[in-house]
Amino acid sequence: MDLPGPIHEILMLFGGFVLLLGGLGVVLLNNPIYSAFSLGLVLVCISLFYFLLNSYFVAVAQLLIYVGAINVLIIFAVMFVNGSEWSKDKNYWTIGDGFTSLVCITIVFH
């Protein structure tokens, strides 16, 4: 991007600051979901740096491959392996569950 000097420097400093905070979040947060979201923020900031360096293809590839696929895969794996304690303790049947079951039964027998 052909940005004026001060705007380019402000974006670089902002991206670096958010990158450092995101990296600390990856390491220091106890909840793995929050840590994975923080990793996504770090990867988006790296993509911002590629945009600022006029490397658009690498920036878009960074967003699509790492943020769009790898980070979503990490979050899915953590959520799949790490079952919530709420679902183990109680068995709640909600209106949404009933409606979904009704729609599925209707589709099967239609």
Side-chain angles (χ1 to χ4, degrees), residues 4-51:
I7 294 176
H8 189 270
E9 290 176 7
I10 289 171
L11 284 175
M12 289 288 280
L13 287 173
F14 176 74
F17 182 69
V18 173
L19 186 69
L20 287 174
L21 287 179
L24 286 173
V26 170
V27 175
L28 298 176
L29 291 174
N30 290 333
N31 191 343
I33 298 294
Y34 294 150
S35 182
F37 282 140
S38 186
L39 176 66
L41 179 67
V42 167
L43 295 173
V44 168
C45 286
I46 292 172
S47 178
L48 172 69
F49 284 130
Y50 285 132
F51 271 118

